[in-house]
Amino acid sequence: MMHSDLEKVLYREEEIAARLDRLAIQITEDYRGKELTVLAILNGSLIFMADLLRRIPLPLQLDCLRVKSYYGGTVTTGRVEFDHSALPLVHGRHVLLLDDILDSGNTLASIIETIRTESGASSLKSCVLLRKIKKRELSVEADYVGFDIEDEFVVGYGLDYQERYRNLPLIGVLKA
Ligand code: IMP
Ligand code: MG
Protein backbone atom coordinates (compact mmCIF):
# COMPACT_ATOMS: atom_id res chain seq x y z
CA MET A 1 0.00 0.00 0.00
CA MET A 2 1.03 3.61 -0.52
CA HIS A 3 1.47 4.35 3.19
CA SER A 4 4.27 1.83 3.50
CA ASP A 5 6.35 3.84 1.00
CA LEU A 6 6.49 6.74 3.46
CA GLU A 7 9.39 7.45 5.77
CA LYS A 8 7.23 9.75 7.88
CA VAL A 9 3.92 11.54 7.95
CA LEU A 10 4.13 15.33 8.16
CA TYR A 11 0.44 16.28 8.30
CA ARG A 12 -2.56 14.06 8.82
CA GLU A 13 -5.96 14.72 7.30
CA GLU A 14 -7.33 16.43 10.41
CA GLU A 15 -4.32 18.73 10.67
CA ILE A 16 -4.69 19.75 7.04
CA ALA A 17 -8.41 20.34 7.51
CA ALA A 18 -7.80 22.52 10.56
CA ARG A 19 -5.22 24.61 8.71
CA LEU A 20 -7.55 25.02 5.71
CA ASP A 21 -10.29 26.29 8.05
CA ARG A 22 -7.97 29.13 9.15
CA LEU A 23 -6.67 29.89 5.66
CA ALA A 24 -10.20 30.04 4.27
CA ILE A 25 -11.29 32.50 6.96
CA GLN A 26 -8.36 34.77 6.12
CA ILE A 27 -8.99 34.62 2.36
CA THR A 28 -12.73 35.18 2.82
CA GLU A 29 -12.08 38.31 4.87
CA ASP A 30 -9.51 39.66 2.40
CA TYR A 31 -11.70 39.17 -0.70
CA ARG A 32 -15.13 40.07 0.65
CA GLY A 33 -16.89 42.35 -1.87
CA LYS A 34 -14.24 41.84 -4.56
CA GLU A 35 -14.52 40.15 -7.95
CA LEU A 36 -12.41 37.09 -7.18
CA THR A 37 -11.03 34.65 -9.73
CA VAL A 38 -9.20 31.65 -8.33
CA LEU A 39 -6.68 30.21 -10.74
CA ALA A 40 -5.62 26.73 -9.71
CA ILE A 41 -2.43 25.26 -11.09
CA LEU A 42 -2.90 21.67 -12.19
CA ASN A 43 -2.40 18.90 -11.35
CA GLY A 44 -0.82 19.45 -7.95
CA SER A 45 -3.35 21.87 -6.46
CA LEU A 46 -6.43 19.84 -7.36
CA ILE A 47 -7.18 18.36 -3.96
CA PHE A 48 -6.10 21.44 -2.04
CA MET A 49 -8.29 23.56 -4.31
CA ALA A 50 -11.37 21.40 -3.82
CA ASP A 51 -11.03 21.38 -0.03
CA LEU A 52 -10.10 25.05 0.33
CA LEU A 53 -12.73 26.53 -1.99
CA ARG A 54 -15.57 24.69 -0.29
CA ARG A 55 -14.64 26.61 2.85
CA ILE A 56 -14.82 30.02 1.14
CA PRO A 57 -18.45 31.26 0.94
CA LEU A 58 -17.75 34.03 -1.61
CA PRO A 59 -19.16 34.33 -5.17
CA LEU A 60 -15.90 33.48 -6.92
CA GLN A 61 -14.94 32.23 -10.37
CA LEU A 62 -12.70 29.22 -10.79
CA ASP A 63 -10.26 28.51 -13.58
CA CYS A 64 -7.41 26.08 -13.95
CA LEU A 65 -4.05 26.27 -15.67
CA ARG A 66 -2.05 23.22 -16.57
CA VAL A 67 1.64 23.74 -16.01
CA LYS A 68 4.54 21.42 -16.57
CA SER A 69 7.67 21.89 -14.53
CA TYR A 70 10.36 19.50 -15.52
CA TYR A 71 11.80 17.20 -12.93
CA GLY A 72 14.91 15.11 -13.02
CA GLY A 73 13.97 12.68 -10.24
CA THR A 74 12.96 14.82 -7.27
CA VAL A 75 14.83 17.99 -8.27
CA THR A 76 13.43 20.70 -10.53
CA THR A 77 15.27 21.48 -13.74
CA GLY A 78 13.95 25.04 -13.74
CA ARG A 79 12.00 24.69 -16.98
CA VAL A 80 8.37 25.73 -16.73
CA GLU A 81 5.92 25.45 -19.62
CA PHE A 82 2.31 26.38 -20.05
CA ASP A 83 0.01 27.44 -22.82
CA HIS A 84 -0.35 31.22 -22.51
CA SER A 85 -3.44 31.13 -24.71
CA ALA A 86 -5.08 28.95 -22.05
CA LEU A 87 -5.00 31.78 -19.50
CA PRO A 88 -8.54 32.76 -18.51
CA LEU A 89 -9.78 36.32 -19.06
CA VAL A 90 -9.19 38.05 -15.76
CA HIS A 91 -9.18 41.68 -16.84
CA GLY A 92 -10.38 43.81 -13.93
CA ARG A 93 -10.60 40.84 -11.58
CA HIS A 94 -8.76 40.01 -8.38
CA VAL A 95 -6.76 36.88 -9.08
CA LEU A 96 -5.68 34.37 -6.47
CA LEU A 97 -3.28 31.71 -7.71
CA LEU A 98 -3.39 28.34 -5.97
CA ASP A 99 -0.50 25.92 -6.08
CA ASP A 100 0.47 22.84 -4.14
CA ILE A 101 3.99 23.82 -3.14
CA LEU A 102 6.52 26.62 -3.40
CA ASP A 103 9.87 24.97 -4.05
CA SER A 104 12.36 26.66 -6.40
CA GLY A 105 9.80 29.35 -7.19
CA ASN A 106 10.11 28.88 -10.96
CA THR A 107 6.49 27.91 -11.50
CA LEU A 108 4.91 30.76 -9.54
CA ALA A 109 7.40 33.32 -10.82
CA SER A 110 6.68 32.45 -14.41
CA ILE A 111 2.89 32.50 -14.02
CA ILE A 112 2.94 35.71 -11.97
CA GLU A 113 5.09 37.42 -14.60
CA THR A 114 2.72 36.40 -17.39
CA ILE A 115 -0.43 37.48 -15.57
CA ARG A 116 1.13 40.79 -14.51
CA THR A 117 2.16 41.66 -18.05
CA GLU A 118 -0.66 40.15 -20.14
CA SER A 119 -3.92 39.96 -18.21
CA GLY A 120 -4.98 43.36 -16.84
CA ALA A 121 -5.95 41.78 -13.51
CA SER A 122 -6.79 44.27 -10.74
CA SER A 123 -4.64 42.41 -8.25
CA LEU A 124 -2.68 39.21 -8.04
CA LYS A 125 -1.84 37.11 -4.99
CA SER A 126 -0.81 33.54 -4.49
CA CYS A 127 -1.65 30.81 -2.04
CA VAL A 128 0.30 27.59 -1.57
CA LEU A 129 -0.44 24.63 0.63
CA LEU A 130 3.25 24.05 1.36
CA ARG A 131 6.33 26.23 1.29
CA LYS A 132 9.80 24.74 1.52
CA ILE A 133 12.19 26.60 3.77
CA LYS A 134 15.15 27.14 1.47
CA LYS A 135 16.92 29.72 -0.64
CA ARG A 136 14.85 30.12 -3.81
CA GLU A 137 16.29 30.46 -7.30
CA LEU A 138 13.92 33.35 -7.96
CA SER A 139 12.65 35.85 -5.47
CA VAL A 140 8.98 35.02 -5.33
CA GLU A 141 6.76 34.93 -2.30
CA ALA A 142 3.39 33.43 -1.53
CA ASP A 143 0.78 35.61 0.17
CA TYR A 144 -0.98 32.71 1.89
CA VAL A 145 0.82 29.59 3.10
CA GLY A 146 -0.61 26.42 4.61
CA PHE A 147 2.53 24.98 6.15
CA ASP A 148 6.25 25.73 6.07
CA ILE A 149 8.24 22.52 5.66
CA GLU A 150 11.86 21.40 5.52
CA ASP A 151 13.48 21.01 2.11
CA GLU A 152 12.40 17.39 1.65
CA PHE A 153 10.49 15.71 -1.18
CA VAL A 154 6.90 15.23 -0.08
CA VAL A 155 3.91 13.43 -1.56
CA GLY A 156 0.19 13.11 -0.96
CA TYR A 157 -2.81 15.43 -0.89
CA GLY A 158 -2.29 16.21 -4.58
CA LEU A 159 1.50 16.05 -4.66
CA ASP A 160 3.08 13.30 -6.71
CA TYR A 161 6.25 11.39 -7.28
CA GLN A 162 6.19 10.33 -10.94
CA GLU A 163 2.40 10.82 -10.95
CA ARG A 164 1.82 8.52 -7.96
CA TYR A 165 0.58 9.29 -4.44
CA ARG A 166 -1.66 12.23 -5.38
CA ASN A 167 -4.59 10.44 -3.78
CA LEU A 168 -2.95 9.88 -0.39
CA PRO A 169 -5.14 11.83 2.06
CA LEU A 170 -2.13 12.96 4.11
CA ILE A 171 1.21 14.63 3.41
CA GLY A 172 4.37 12.63 3.96
CA VAL A 173 8.01 12.16 3.05
CA LEU A 174 8.88 9.25 0.76
CA LYS A 175 11.43 6.65 1.76
CA ALA A 176 14.70 7.18 -0.11
P1 IMP B 1 8.85 25.06 -8.19
O1 IMP B 1 8.59 25.59 -9.58
O2 IMP B 1 10.24 24.49 -8.07
O3 IMP B 1 8.52 26.04 -7.09
O4 IMP B 1 7.99 23.78 -7.98
C1 IMP B 1 6.73 23.74 -8.35
C2 IMP B 1 6.20 22.37 -8.67
O5 IMP B 1 7.16 21.33 -8.49
C3 IMP B 1 5.10 22.09 -7.71
O6 IMP B 1 3.89 22.64 -8.18
C4 IMP B 1 5.12 20.59 -7.65
O7 IMP B 1 4.33 20.04 -8.71
C5 IMP B 1 6.57 20.21 -7.87
N1 IMP B 1 7.24 19.94 -6.56
C6 IMP B 1 8.15 20.70 -5.93
N2 IMP B 1 8.53 20.14 -4.77
C7 IMP B 1 7.84 18.98 -4.67
C8 IMP B 1 7.79 17.94 -3.66
O8 IMP B 1 8.44 17.97 -2.59
N3 IMP B 1 6.95 16.92 -3.92
C9 IMP B 1 6.19 16.84 -5.05
N4 IMP B 1 6.19 17.78 -6.00
C10 IMP B 1 7.02 18.85 -5.80
MG1 MG C 1 4.45 17.38 -9.80
Side-chain angles (χ1 to χ4, degrees):
M1 295 302 278
M2 291 187 294
H3 285 66
S4 55
D5 295 351
L6 297 181
E7 178 190 305
K8 63 183 172 197
V9 172
L10 293 184
Y11 301 104
R12 305 193 168 280
E13 263 183 288
E14 316 80 68
E15 296 175 278
I16 300 170
R19 184 67 191 107
L20 293 200
D21 286 343
R22 305 298 312 163
L23 259 187
I25 288 170
Q26 204 188 338
I27 292 169
T28 303
E29 281 170 7
D30 293 354
Y31 286 94
R32 200 181 297 282
K34 292 183 173 159
E35 294 291 332
L36 172 61
T37 294
V38 173
L39 184 54
I41 303 169
L42 298 180
N43 296 323
S45 71
L46 205 46
I47 297 192
F48 173 43
M49 180 258 283
D51 284 348
L52 181 70
L53 293 192
R54 281 178 295 173
R55 290 170 159 84
I56 299 178
L58 296 175
L60 55 82
Q61 290 183 5
L62 170 62
D63 263 294
C64 297
L65 186 64
R66 179 176 295 277
V67 172
K68 271 206 162 85
S69 39
Y70 290 85
Y71 266 72
T74 58
V75 182
T76 179
T77 61
R79 282 203 301 138
V80 179
E81 261 178 32
F82 62 97
D83 178 3
H84 289 215
S85 70
L87 275 174
L89 294 175
V90 292
H91 194 273
R93 300 193 58 89
H94 295 275
V95 177
L96 180 62
L97 286 173
L98 286 192
D99 205 358
D100 52 358
I101 188 165
L102 179 58
D103 181 17
S104 71
N106 287 321
T107 305
L108 267 192
S110 140
I111 296 169
I112 287 171
E113 162 75 10
T114 307
I115 292 177
R116 284 240 159 86
T117 55
E118 296 177 15
S119 78
S122 291
S123 75
L124 177 59
K125 284 192 188 181
S126 57
C127 172
V128 293
L129 175 65
L130 303 171
R131 174 171 66 186
K132 287 188 188 171
I133 305 164
K134 68 193 285 187
K135 172 130 183 47
R136 270 173 255 296
E137 291 165 28
L138 293 158
S139 76
V140 56
E141 258 314 320
D143 300 281
Y144 304 94
V145 176
F147 301 102
D148 277 307
I149 62 168
E150 299 295 315
D151 190 6
E152 294 177 302
F153 197 82
V154 294
V155 295
Y157 203 74
L159 292 117
D160 72 302
Y161 174 63
Q162 298 183 344
E163 296 305 325
R164 286 183 63 193
Y165 306 108
R166 292 197 197 274
N167 56 328
L168 261 179
L170 44 75
I171 299 166
V173 177
L174 271 186
K175 283 179 186 157

